[in-house]
Amino acid sequence: MKLLHHIRNIAHNQPHTIAYITPNQEITYGELWDQSERVAAFIKTQTLEKQLPILLYGHMDVSLVVSFLGSVKAGHPYIPVDISIPAERINHIITSAKPGLIINTTNQLLPCNDCNVRTIAFEQILVDLPATGPVDQSNWVKGNDNFYIIYTSGSTGTPKGVQISVNNLQSFLNWMVEDFPINGQLIFLNQAPYSFDLSVMDLYPALMTGGTLFAVTKEMIEKPKFLFEELRRSNAHVWTSTPSFAQMCLMDPSFNEDLLPELSVFLFCGEVLPPGICQQLMTRFPRAKCFNTYGPTEATVAVTSIEISNEIMKDCPTLPIGKPKQDTQILLLDENGNLVSNGEKGEIIIVGPGVSKGYLGQPELTDKAFFTYKGEQAYRTGDAGFMDSRGHLFYQGRIDFQIKLHGYRMELEEIEYQLSQSPFVQSALVIPIDSGEKIEYLLAAIIPAKHTFEKEYQLTSAIKKDLSRMIPAYMIPRKFTYFNELPMTANGKMDRKRIKELVLL
Ligand code: AMP
């Protein structure tokens, strides 16, 4: 595989280049390669069934990245499980994926009830096994073999294991290094936990190009002073995060070019990129380019992208998600499965070599979401979108965010979009409040923009007045609640569930 060959070349030619930096550890390419050889050699001694996954538990430690490479060099895909994943979900993953081995890179016990799977501490592997020669390359995962399996939340509430093959990952990486200005041994911030595939957007492009990853840990996110000290120390060039994480950083006025003078690229993915956030970033980091990218885990991280220029900011009230990568096709289908015309809304279907073979051990769910289109693997995203006359794709919310309130059909994200257009709103989420049987009313959770109203009710009525110009009265939320910041999930997206709990307290 190209990725592993590249890392091996860097490890041989520049063994002392730093591959990964965390608050208390660093590892060079030479060490990364050697230690992962030892992990691979250990895994080989376990004589596991071919392609049986290995569950890797931890949080942004160098040992986790060593274990990723160790697994795939031994011919086994890995399942990254971050420490933020609750015990119940870990148990579900273990029962459904049936991993052959668990490597725990933390010093805490794995929170699972019945770990009927051999579990070994990472430290033990390096102690037990003397340094060995290289693992024969013929063992490496290849072609259609799985490289990793990432568990995403399913709409049914049970997580689904998305299988990403060597070919899927390589298609994504080829695009990253060809189409984005990220080559040249740059420093990449690594904000997303490894159980979220946004992390793949910095991890492997960094390692493939001889760059250095700089970890933004959970502890930093919880302690803004520490986070900003570490951001300064990173001197990063490439920023990859959800828009929500950037929005959190923007709340501090010192988040600007002086803090990160070398920053040249912002890569966003995972949720809507609000134009206001992009505008602030462009003002505070005038030399950095800002890219909006889009894609689900099922199609390997991202499949469309666009650089947000001043012109696009001026022309588009919502930001486009751009054009598909070269080897990939986007179809927009109506409810009957027919292609829609330009400008019309349809479900986004992704066709191409980045699309996963399906969910591990779940053929029915796989058949529902995946199919072949003209001989290529295709995935129904459940996202709605339309294409403008320039061939730019726009995201228009989840098909399943469509709700009915008092018989009216509406989309929460449309209301959110209209809210975000009010000059009094910096960021907004709309939450349906139900009685158990049906939706009773809508609640707007809002971070207000700067305003001069003395009382909240005055602010609310000004926002409602703005809304009434754009949407029918039945779509205007009944209640408004204001926040200084909105809670995020462990993956760095807006946490709708938690916000609902907070407002219902
Ligand atoms: P995940 O599999 O967790 O990465 O979530 C994928 C979903 O996130 C997509 O199907 C979209 O609904 C949403 N998403 C990803 N990127 C964007 C984006 N740039 N703009 C809007 N929504 C996005």
Side-chain angles (χ1 to χ4, degrees), residues 439-463:
I439 297 168
E440 295 293 338
Y441 64 93
L442 298 181
L443 181 139
I446 292 192
I447 302 180
K450 279 212 181 85
H451 63 86
T452 50
F453 298 110
E454 276 177 17
K455 299 269 188 306
E456 259 182 18
Y457 77 85
Q458 295 168 316
L459 174 61
T460 302
S461 85
I463 300 174

PDB file of all heavy atoms in Angstrom, residues 439-463:
ATOM      1  N   ILE A 439     -44.756  15.803  18.361  1.00  0.00           N
ATOM      2  CA  ILE A 439     -44.019  17.028  18.635  1.00  0.00           C
ATOM      3  C   ILE A 439     -44.999  18.123  19.039  1.00  0.00           C
ATOM      4  O   ILE A 439     -45.996  18.360  18.345  1.00  0.00           O
ATOM      5  CB  ILE A 439     -43.192  17.441  17.394  1.00  0.00           C
ATOM      6  CG1 ILE A 439     -42.161  16.345  17.110  1.00  0.00           C
ATOM      7  CG2 ILE A 439     -42.500  18.781  17.608  1.00  0.00           C
ATOM      8  CD1 ILE A 439     -41.478  16.473  15.785  1.00  0.00           C
ATOM      9  N   GLU A 440     -44.718  18.756  20.192  1.00  0.00           N
ATOM     10  CA  GLU A 440     -45.630  19.792  20.700  1.00  0.00           C
ATOM     11  C   GLU A 440     -45.239  21.178  20.210  1.00  0.00           C
ATOM     12  O   GLU A 440     -46.079  21.976  19.860  1.00  0.00           O
ATOM     13  CB  GLU A 440     -45.626  19.785  22.236  1.00  0.00           C
ATOM     14  CG  GLU A 440     -46.175  18.504  22.858  1.00  0.00           C
ATOM     15  CD  GLU A 440     -47.669  18.329  22.588  1.00  0.00           C
ATOM     16  OE1 GLU A 440     -48.345  19.328  22.318  1.00  0.00           O
ATOM     17  OE2 GLU A 440     -48.139  17.175  22.617  1.00  0.00           O
ATOM     18  N   TYR A 441     -43.934  21.449  20.269  1.00  0.00           N
ATOM     19  CA  TYR A 441     -43.487  22.770  19.817  1.00  0.00           C
ATOM     20  C   TYR A 441     -41.994  22.738  19.521  1.00  0.00           C
ATOM     21  O   TYR A 441     -41.319  21.738  19.804  1.00  0.00           O
ATOM     22  CB  TYR A 441     -43.801  23.849  20.871  1.00  0.00           C
ATOM     23  CG  TYR A 441     -43.073  23.689  22.185  1.00  0.00           C
ATOM     24  CD1 TYR A 441     -41.850  24.324  22.420  1.00  0.00           C
ATOM     25  CD2 TYR A 441     -43.609  22.910  23.218  1.00  0.00           C
ATOM     26  CE1 TYR A 441     -41.185  24.175  23.630  1.00  0.00           C
ATOM     27  CE2 TYR A 441     -42.954  22.754  24.426  1.00  0.00           C
ATOM     28  CZ  TYR A 441     -41.744  23.397  24.633  1.00  0.00           C
ATOM     29  OH  TYR A 441     -41.073  23.242  25.816  1.00  0.00           O
ATOM     30  N   LEU A 442     -41.501  23.820  18.939  1.00  0.00           N
ATOM     31  CA  LEU A 442     -40.071  23.911  18.623  1.00  0.00           C
ATOM     32  C   LEU A 442     -39.395  24.885  19.572  1.00  0.00           C
ATOM     33  O   LEU A 442     -39.965  25.910  19.951  1.00  0.00           O
ATOM     34  CB  LEU A 442     -39.878  24.425  17.192  1.00  0.00           C
ATOM     35  CG  LEU A 442     -40.446  23.558  16.088  1.00  0.00           C
ATOM     36  CD1 LEU A 442     -40.158  24.200  14.735  1.00  0.00           C
ATOM     37  CD2 LEU A 442     -39.867  22.147  16.147  1.00  0.00           C
ATOM     38  N   LEU A 443     -38.160  24.543  19.925  1.00  0.00           N
ATOM     39  CA  LEU A 443     -37.386  25.404  20.799  1.00  0.00           C
ATOM     40  C   LEU A 443     -36.102  25.816  20.076  1.00  0.00           C
ATOM     41  O   LEU A 443     -35.455  24.977  19.438  1.00  0.00           O
ATOM     42  CB  LEU A 443     -37.050  24.612  22.056  1.00  0.00           C
ATOM     43  CG  LEU A 443     -36.252  25.363  23.104  1.00  0.00           C
ATOM     44  CD1 LEU A 443     -36.770  25.033  24.482  1.00  0.00           C
ATOM     45  CD2 LEU A 443     -34.781  25.011  23.004  1.00  0.00           C
ATOM     46  N   ALA A 444     -35.774  27.102  20.140  1.00  0.00           N
ATOM     47  CA  ALA A 444     -34.531  27.555  19.503  1.00  0.00           C
ATOM     48  C   ALA A 444     -33.479  27.771  20.588  1.00  0.00           C
ATOM     49  O   ALA A 444     -33.726  28.499  21.560  1.00  0.00           O
ATOM     50  CB  ALA A 444     -34.784  28.861  18.753  1.00  0.00           C
ATOM     51  N   ALA A 445     -32.330  27.098  20.440  1.00  0.00           N
ATOM     52  CA  ALA A 445     -31.195  27.302  21.362  1.00  0.00           C
ATOM     53  C   ALA A 445     -30.209  28.191  20.619  1.00  0.00           C
ATOM     54  O   ALA A 445     -29.751  27.831  19.530  1.00  0.00           O
ATOM     55  CB  ALA A 445     -30.567  25.965  21.713  1.00  0.00           C
ATOM     56  N   ILE A 446     -29.908  29.341  21.192  1.00  0.00           N
ATOM     57  CA  ILE A 446     -29.202  30.370  20.420  1.00  0.00           C
ATOM     58  C   ILE A 446     -27.989  30.929  21.152  1.00  0.00           C
ATOM     59  O   ILE A 446     -28.052  31.191  22.364  1.00  0.00           O
ATOM     60  CB  ILE A 446     -30.197  31.515  20.116  1.00  0.00           C
ATOM     61  CG1 ILE A 446     -31.220  30.959  19.153  1.00  0.00           C
ATOM     62  CG2 ILE A 446     -29.520  32.776  19.599  1.00  0.00           C
ATOM     63  CD1 ILE A 446     -32.114  31.913  18.512  1.00  0.00           C
ATOM     64  N   ILE A 447     -26.897  31.095  20.417  1.00  0.00           N
ATOM     65  CA  ILE A 447     -25.801  31.955  20.906  1.00  0.00           C
ATOM     66  C   ILE A 447     -26.040  33.290  20.209  1.00  0.00           C
ATOM     67  O   ILE A 447     -25.949  33.379  18.979  1.00  0.00           O
ATOM     68  CB  ILE A 447     -24.412  31.418  20.511  1.00  0.00           C
ATOM     69  CG1 ILE A 447     -24.209  29.992  21.042  1.00  0.00           C
ATOM     70  CG2 ILE A 447     -23.310  32.345  21.047  1.00  0.00           C
ATOM     71  CD1 ILE A 447     -22.855  29.390  20.678  1.00  0.00           C
ATOM     72  N   PRO A 448     -26.379  34.332  20.983  1.00  0.00           N
ATOM     73  CA  PRO A 448     -26.682  35.589  20.306  1.00  0.00           C
ATOM     74  C   PRO A 448     -25.428  36.285  19.785  1.00  0.00           C
ATOM     75  O   PRO A 448     -24.336  36.095  20.328  1.00  0.00           O
ATOM     76  CB  PRO A 448     -27.339  36.439  21.404  1.00  0.00           C
ATOM     77  CG  PRO A 448     -26.998  35.796  22.695  1.00  0.00           C
ATOM     78  CD  PRO A 448     -26.548  34.393  22.439  1.00  0.00           C
ATOM     79  N   ALA A 449     -25.612  37.077  18.742  1.00  0.00           N
ATOM     80  CA  ALA A 449     -24.520  37.945  18.290  1.00  0.00           C
ATOM     81  C   ALA A 449     -24.557  39.191  19.195  1.00  0.00           C
ATOM     82  O   ALA A 449     -25.455  39.320  20.026  1.00  0.00           O
ATOM     83  CB  ALA A 449     -24.766  38.326  16.842  1.00  0.00           C
ATOM     84  N   LYS A 450     -23.591  40.097  19.024  1.00  0.00           N
ATOM     85  CA  LYS A 450     -23.604  41.339  19.829  1.00  0.00           C
ATOM     86  C   LYS A 450     -24.913  42.093  19.575  1.00  0.00           C
ATOM     87  O   LYS A 450     -25.365  42.190  18.434  1.00  0.00           O
ATOM     88  CB  LYS A 450     -22.440  42.225  19.395  1.00  0.00           C
ATOM     89  CG  LYS A 450     -21.129  41.837  20.009  1.00  0.00           C
ATOM     90  CD  LYS A 450     -20.239  43.075  20.220  1.00  0.00           C
ATOM     91  CE  LYS A 450     -18.920  42.655  20.817  1.00  0.00           C
ATOM     92  NZ  LYS A 450     -17.961  42.228  19.807  1.00  0.00           N
ATOM     93  N   HIS A 451     -25.544  42.587  20.662  1.00  0.00           N
ATOM     94  CA  HIS A 451     -26.782  43.359  20.477  1.00  0.00           C
ATOM     95  C   HIS A 451     -26.897  44.366  21.606  1.00  0.00           C
ATOM     96  O   HIS A 451     -26.127  44.323  22.578  1.00  0.00           O
ATOM     97  CB  HIS A 451     -27.983  42.412  20.454  1.00  0.00           C
ATOM     98  CG  HIS A 451     -28.187  41.677  21.733  1.00  0.00           C
ATOM     99  ND1 HIS A 451     -28.891  42.193  22.786  1.00  0.00           N
ATOM    100  CD2 HIS A 451     -27.731  40.459  22.142  1.00  0.00           C
ATOM    101  CE1 HIS A 451     -28.888  41.320  23.779  1.00  0.00           C
ATOM    102  NE2 HIS A 451     -28.185  40.260  23.425  1.00  0.00           N
ATOM    103  N   THR A 452     -27.888  45.245  21.484  1.00  0.00           N
ATOM    104  CA  THR A 452     -28.000  46.304  22.488  1.00  0.00           C
ATOM    105  C   THR A 452     -29.295  46.192  23.295  1.00  0.00           C
ATOM    106  O   THR A 452     -29.643  47.099  24.040  1.00  0.00           O
ATOM    107  CB  THR A 452     -27.967  47.692  21.795  1.00  0.00           C
ATOM    108  OG1 THR A 452     -28.925  47.659  20.741  1.00  0.00           O
ATOM    109  CG2 THR A 452     -26.594  48.016  21.235  1.00  0.00           C
ATOM    110  N   PHE A 453     -30.016  45.067  23.105  1.00  0.00           N
ATOM    111  CA  PHE A 453     -31.266  44.920  23.868  1.00  0.00           C
ATOM    112  C   PHE A 453     -30.942  44.721  25.348  1.00  0.00           C
ATOM    113  O   PHE A 453     -29.987  44.032  25.696  1.00  0.00           O
ATOM    114  CB  PHE A 453     -32.063  43.708  23.362  1.00  0.00           C
ATOM    115  CG  PHE A 453     -32.478  43.841  21.937  1.00  0.00           C
ATOM    116  CD1 PHE A 453     -31.898  43.042  20.952  1.00  0.00           C
ATOM    117  CD2 PHE A 453     -33.428  44.778  21.566  1.00  0.00           C
ATOM    118  CE1 PHE A 453     -32.255  43.165  19.638  1.00  0.00           C
ATOM    119  CE2 PHE A 453     -33.798  44.911  20.233  1.00  0.00           C
ATOM    120  CZ  PHE A 453     -33.213  44.102  19.270  1.00  0.00           C
ATOM    121  N   GLU A 454     -31.819  45.296  26.182  1.00  0.00           N
ATOM    122  CA  GLU A 454     -31.584  45.124  27.619  1.00  0.00           C
ATOM    123  C   GLU A 454     -32.149  43.801  28.113  1.00  0.00           C
ATOM    124  O   GLU A 454     -31.589  43.143  28.966  1.00  0.00           O
ATOM    125  CB  GLU A 454     -32.251  46.259  28.383  1.00  0.00           C
ATOM    126  CG  GLU A 454     -31.364  47.482  28.435  1.00  0.00           C
ATOM    127  CD  GLU A 454     -32.056  48.633  29.126  1.00  0.00           C
ATOM    128  OE1 GLU A 454     -33.065  48.408  29.831  1.00  0.00           O
ATOM    129  OE2 GLU A 454     -31.580  49.765  28.929  1.00  0.00           O
ATOM    130  N   LYS A 455     -33.276  43.432  27.546  1.00  0.00           N
ATOM    131  CA  LYS A 455     -33.978  42.241  28.050  1.00  0.00           C
ATOM    132  C   LYS A 455     -34.014  41.154  26.963  1.00  0.00           C
ATOM    133  O   LYS A 455     -34.085  41.457  25.779  1.00  0.00           O
ATOM    134  CB  LYS A 455     -35.424  42.617  28.406  1.00  0.00           C
ATOM    135  CG  LYS A 455     -35.538  43.678  29.492  1.00  0.00           C
ATOM    136  CD  LYS A 455     -35.632  43.000  30.840  1.00  0.00           C
ATOM    137  CE  LYS A 455     -35.932  43.861  32.017  1.00  0.00           C
ATOM    138  NZ  LYS A 455     -35.160  44.986  32.332  1.00  0.00           N
ATOM    139  N   GLU A 456     -34.027  39.898  27.454  1.00  0.00           N
ATOM    140  CA  GLU A 456     -34.039  38.770  26.510  1.00  0.00           C
ATOM    141  C   GLU A 456     -35.285  38.780  25.616  1.00  0.00           C
ATOM    142  O   GLU A 456     -35.224  38.458  24.442  1.00  0.00           O
ATOM    143  CB  GLU A 456     -33.984  37.454  27.277  1.00  0.00           C
ATOM    144  CG  GLU A 456     -32.608  36.863  27.278  1.00  0.00           C
ATOM    145  CD  GLU A 456     -32.537  35.527  27.996  1.00  0.00           C
ATOM    146  OE1 GLU A 456     -33.574  34.878  28.216  1.00  0.00           O
ATOM    147  OE2 GLU A 456     -31.399  35.139  28.336  1.00  0.00           O
ATOM    148  N   TYR A 457     -36.454  39.167  26.228  1.00  0.00           N
ATOM    149  CA  TYR A 457     -37.677  39.097  25.423  1.00  0.00           C
ATOM    150  C   TYR A 457     -37.616  40.059  24.231  1.00  0.00           C
ATOM    151  O   TYR A 457     -38.184  39.828  23.178  1.00  0.00           O
ATOM    152  CB  TYR A 457     -38.934  39.307  26.289  1.00  0.00           C
ATOM    153  CG  TYR A 457     -39.202  40.749  26.682  1.00  0.00           C
ATOM    154  CD1 TYR A 457     -39.905  41.605  25.829  1.00  0.00           C
ATOM    155  CD2 TYR A 457     -38.752  41.240  27.903  1.00  0.00           C
ATOM    156  CE1 TYR A 457     -40.133  42.922  26.193  1.00  0.00           C
ATOM    157  CE2 TYR A 457     -38.985  42.560  28.271  1.00  0.00           C
ATOM    158  CZ  TYR A 457     -39.665  43.400  27.409  1.00  0.00           C
ATOM    159  OH  TYR A 457     -39.886  44.689  27.750  1.00  0.00           O
ATOM    160  N   GLN A 458     -36.856  41.161  24.418  1.00  0.00           N
ATOM    161  CA  GLN A 458     -36.725  42.121  23.304  1.00  0.00           C
ATOM    162  C   GLN A 458     -35.893  41.492  22.177  1.00  0.00           C
ATOM    163  O   GLN A 458     -36.205  41.619  21.000  1.00  0.00           O
ATOM    164  CB  GLN A 458     -36.040  43.405  23.796  1.00  0.00           C
ATOM    165  CG  GLN A 458     -36.873  44.153  24.822  1.00  0.00           C
ATOM    166  CD  GLN A 458     -36.073  45.247  25.508  1.00  0.00           C
ATOM    167  OE1 GLN A 458     -34.927  45.036  25.901  1.00  0.00           O
ATOM    168  NE2 GLN A 458     -36.683  46.417  25.647  1.00  0.00           N
ATOM    169  N   LEU A 459     -34.846  40.790  22.605  1.00  0.00           N
ATOM    170  CA  LEU A 459     -33.999  40.107  21.624  1.00  0.00           C
ATOM    171  C   LEU A 459     -34.829  39.059  20.875  1.00  0.00           C
ATOM    172  O   LEU A 459     -34.815  38.973  19.640  1.00  0.00           O
ATOM    173  CB  LEU A 459     -32.817  39.445  22.360  1.00  0.00           C
ATOM    174  CG  LEU A 459     -31.887  38.559  21.562  1.00  0.00           C
ATOM    175  CD1 LEU A 459     -31.207  39.345  20.448  1.00  0.00           C
ATOM    176  CD2 LEU A 459     -30.823  37.920  22.471  1.00  0.00           C
ATOM    177  N   THR A 460     -35.602  38.269  21.659  1.00  0.00           N
ATOM    178  CA  THR A 460     -36.435  37.226  21.050  1.00  0.00           C
ATOM    179  C   THR A 460     -37.399  37.837  20.037  1.00  0.00           C
ATOM    180  O   THR A 460     -37.554  37.325  18.923  1.00  0.00           O
ATOM    181  CB  THR A 460     -37.232  36.468  22.138  1.00  0.00           C
ATOM    182  OG1 THR A 460     -36.292  35.930  23.048  1.00  0.00           O
ATOM    183  CG2 THR A 460     -38.082  35.369  21.549  1.00  0.00           C
ATOM    184  N   SER A 461     -38.028  38.951  20.407  1.00  0.00           N
ATOM    185  CA  SER A 461     -39.020  39.461  19.461  1.00  0.00           C
ATOM    186  C   SER A 461     -38.333  40.025  18.215  1.00  0.00           C
ATOM    187  O   SER A 461     -38.885  39.926  17.112  1.00  0.00           O
ATOM    188  CB  SER A 461     -39.998  40.419  20.147  1.00  0.00           C
ATOM    189  OG  SER A 461     -39.477  41.686  20.181  1.00  0.00           O
ATOM    190  N   ALA A 462     -37.120  40.561  18.365  1.00  0.00           N
ATOM    191  CA  ALA A 462     -36.406  41.037  17.165  1.00  0.00           C
ATOM    192  C   ALA A 462     -36.057  39.864  16.246  1.00  0.00           C
ATOM    193  O   ALA A 462     -36.199  39.947  15.020  1.00  0.00           O
ATOM    194  CB  ALA A 462     -35.148  41.783  17.584  1.00  0.00           C
ATOM    195  N   ILE A 463     -35.630  38.750  16.841  1.00  0.00           N
ATOM    196  CA  ILE A 463     -35.273  37.580  16.005  1.00  0.00           C
ATOM    197  C   ILE A 463     -36.537  37.020  15.343  1.00  0.00           C
ATOM    198  O   ILE A 463     -36.545  36.684  14.154  1.00  0.00           O
ATOM    199  CB  ILE A 463     -34.553  36.487  16.842  1.00  0.00           C
ATOM    200  CG1 ILE A 463     -33.254  37.034  17.452  1.00  0.00           C
ATOM    201  CG2 ILE A 463     -34.257  35.266  15.983  1.00  0.00           C
ATOM    202  CD1 ILE A 463     -32.553  36.081  18.406  1.00  0.00           C
TER     203      ILE A 463
END
